[in-house]
Amino acid sequence: MGYSGVRGGQEAIAAAERLARRDRLGGASRWLELDQITGRLGLAVDRVMGEAGLWAPEFAARAIRQSRGDLLEAAQLLRAHRSTLPRLAYSSPVPAVALRPVRRIAPAYRNPPGGQILGDTDDYTPRILDLTDEDTARATAPPPRRPATAGAPVVAPDPTVPPVGLPPAGLLADRRDPADPDPFDITRAPARPGVPRSARLTAMARAETGSLTHLWYLVTQAPRNAQPEIPLELRRGHLPLRIEHPFTGSPVTVAGVRVSEARTVRPDARPHPDGSRFDIGYGLCLGDNEAKALAMAGLDLLVHRDKTTNRLEQRVLTALDGPELAGYLEHLKLPHYVDFRSIVDRLRALQAPNPEEGL
């Protein structure tokens, strides 16, 4: 649909595209290299990959550069590229113990098994803008590491850092499905209320981070959810990617990806038999995104406990997708003069005097 009211029509649209390209590729600064984006803006790259559902640091950096830093637009670009790629294989399930953590905290335990690994975090740093002089900052900067575009290494689990144990036996509600169905693929079938838990977790893993955390905070602060939510464990690290060997049938580790994983518990306020047990929620997403993993685990708990209505589940499945949200916003900027004119005519007809009223 073109803007028929704009002089020049398609020529004006092409000129607008050239202006956008000039602003993106021009400027007074030096050319922005991909390794600068992946190396200096790693959290933004991880967020775009997670919301696009594709682990590709270099392509995510290209999307960020093309979108001029608009992460919502970058995720939409990367997911659109993902839709053009062939599906070569299905990865094999890996247990949580296969994750090699670089950061692991356990707020629910004073002395968790294996200790805690703070890793790189700003959790204990005051939120104060760093106004260090640029020359001083360059002089004191550590030497550069290997390029981030080299890809994630093939990793093996670290047996010296075991995962934090669950609450004592008898205090945890069992949410396992005895049938153990295959994960629901939301890229092949629409996710509607009533889908398995795997569909909700997948939808939240690809959800827009801000929308997800906002929904979690909004629901968890409701009076009906007054019971405290406590994270059992929060981990960041490398998870091996395994596929089945085409000839031997054995699982083979071909790569590794960075993930954030969270498990939270909340006392179950429902009647017996679950009233005296913990509910557990789980969240796992691509990249270093602890806030998203925690919000995922919290919403996983809240949706499970929302037995009287499916409104929360529907919001989780349909209202958190970043590219879908961006697409709806973009369509509002397209011509709507036909709709607007029809509404104006209808309102004028309603306001017009009825000649039969005077009879």
Side-chain angles (χ1 to χ4, degrees), residues 23 42 45 60 69 102 127 137 172 180 218 224 227-229 256 264 269 282 299 311 333 341 346:
D23 291 343
V45 172
V102 296
R127 268 41 177 191
L172 187 66
D180 192 21
L218 183 68
R224 66 180 181 274
Q227 297 289 342
E229 178 181 315
T264 62
Y282 184 77
L299 281 175
R311 285 184 297 177
K333 295 186 287 186
R341 182 58 184 267
R346 185 168 67 251

Side-chain angles (χ1 to χ4, degrees), residues 64-86:
I64 292 174
R65 187 173 63 185
Q66 181 176 338
S67 65
R68 291 179 284 179
D70 186 343
L71 300 187
L72 197 60
E73 174 71 12
Q76 190 172 17
L77 291 171
L78 189 59
R79 189 180 294 186
H81 175 73
R82 177 188 181 276
S83 66
T84 67
L85 301 177

Side-chain angles (χ1 to χ4, degrees), residues 170-251:
L171 294 182
L172 187 66
D174 191 357
R175 296 184 58 189
R176 294 175 296 180
D177 188 347
D180 192 21
D182 291 335
F184 189 95
D185 191 351
I186 64 174
T187 66
R188 292 292 189 267
R192 297 292 182 265
V195 293
R197 183 188 183 192
S198 59
R200 296 195 298 268
L201 291 175
T202 306
M204 289 190 289
R206 300 201 315 170
E208 201 272 326
T209 303
S211 301
L212 181 75
T213 53
H214 174 262
L215 178 62
W216 164 79
Y217 183 75
L218 183 68
V219 178
T220 198
Q221 295 297 316
R224 66 180 181 274
N225 298 316
Q227 297 289 342
E229 178 181 315
I230 303 175
L232 273 181
E233 184 180 38
L234 175 64
R235 300 195 297 170
R236 288 199 336 248
H238 293 89
L239 193 67
L241 177 63
R242 296 171 182 167
I243 62 173
E244 187 177 292
H245 196 281
F247 299 109
T248 65
S250 302

